[in-house]
Amino acid sequence: MILPIYIYGQPVLRKVAEDIPADYPDLEGFLKDMWDTLAESEGIGLAAPQVGKSIRVVVIDLDVLSDDMPEYKGFRHAYINPHIKEYDDSETDSMEEGCLSLPAIHEKVVRPKRIRVEWLDEQMQPHDEWVSGYLARVMQHEFDHLDGKVFVDRVSPLRKQLLKSKLRALLQGRFRCGYRTKVAKK
């Protein structure tokens, strides 16, 4: 089932999401819905708060970028209860980011190039590894959603001030995109 994407201003996007238990009801069905929603919205990552659930679940599909980044051919992973345990701040880079919950807004964000992440896979097997490159950026972006943050929280105060009218338009439901959305009540 295609779920609506919650747009900037929805309270769930500002909550810290909860870890889920191993016996979370119909996790398999929820993950299928998230994959379907991600494909329909033509995104590369989707966090559960973006579809209205304050739980620590993320899906990332980098296969769609494999023509330009062949190292991500076949890369489609779900992350359950992910947590960034360590940031390697020795190297950062600045790259433009966008977000399904903030349609039509793109800004450069500085992030560490390497992070240490713990998570469970779909079989509830634990993983703990250092991740680098573009995947590290996507994970940081998506895992921010699990901590009640959106990428515009990471831009300079001046840039955020310049975005005020675009953010206000999102709050008022004045935007266009090609996927189902749910805006905050006025």
Side-chain angles (χ1 to χ4, degrees):
M1 170 174 45
I2 308 296
L3 304 169
I5 304 283
Y6 282 54
I7 300 299
Y8 180 83
Q10 283 281 2
V12 71
L13 295 174
R14 291 304 190 178
K15 288 172 110 177
V16 175
E18 299 287 325
D19 281 349
I20 63 169
D23 62 349
Y24 186 81
D26 196 24
L27 178 59
E28 190 176 323
F30 178 62
L31 286 170
K32 183 187 179 318
D33 292 347
M34 285 189 69
W35 286 118
D36 291 348
T37 303
L38 182 62
E40 179 72 17
S41 60
E42 299 181 354
I44 60 171
L46 185 65
Q50 292 181 274
V51 292
K53 291 202 179 286
S54 190
I55 59 174
R56 296 189 79 86
V57 175
V58 166
V59 294
I60 296 176
D61 180 357
L62 296 184
D63 182 62
V64 297
L65 304 175
S66 64
D67 286 347
D68 296 324
M69 299 174 160
E71 66 271 28
Y72 294 121
K73 182 78 178 150
F75 188 98
R76 252 174 72 99
H77 292 286
Y79 298 88
I80 298 160
N81 298 339
H83 293 273
I84 296 174
K85 301 311 270 184
E86 209 172 327
Y87 294 88
D88 177 356
D89 290 323
S90 65
E91 277 191 83
T92 61
D93 69 349
S94 177
M95 189 179 286
E96 191 171 277
E97 293 186 17
C99 182
L100 297 173
S101 293
L102 290 98
I105 295 179
H106 297 86
E107 286 293 322
K108 285 194 174 223
V109 178
V110 176
R111 294 191 188 268
K113 286 185 175 184
R114 202 169 88 101
I115 55 173
R116 188 177 134 239
V117 186
E118 288 182 353
W119 79 93
L120 302 172
D121 62 25
E122 292 177 66
Q123 288 71 48
M124 302 308 260
Q125 295 302 304
H127 298 266
D128 181 339
E129 69 181 73
W130 282 93
V131 177
S132 60
Y134 192 68
L135 176 59
R137 172 170 293 277
V138 174
M139 284 179 156
Q140 289 173 79
H141 176 107
E142 296 306 331
F143 298 173
D144 270 358
H145 283 298
L146 305 178
D147 293 326
K149 295 183 175 87
V150 293
F151 80 96
V152 294
D153 297 337
R154 301 222 178 257
V155 302
S156 73
L158 175 61
R159 288 301 311 157
K160 194 150 186 187
Q161 187 66 33
L162 294 171
L163 288 172
K164 231 177 187 157
S165 65
K166 288 182 179 181
L167 294 173
R168 192 174 312 111
L170 293 178
L171 291 171
Q172 296 168 349
R174 291 185 294 115
F175 61 90
R176 277 191 221 153
C177 60
Y179 46 88
R180 286 182 57 209
T181 61
K182 186 168 175 118
V183 296
K185 293 191 180 356
K186 297 175 187 172

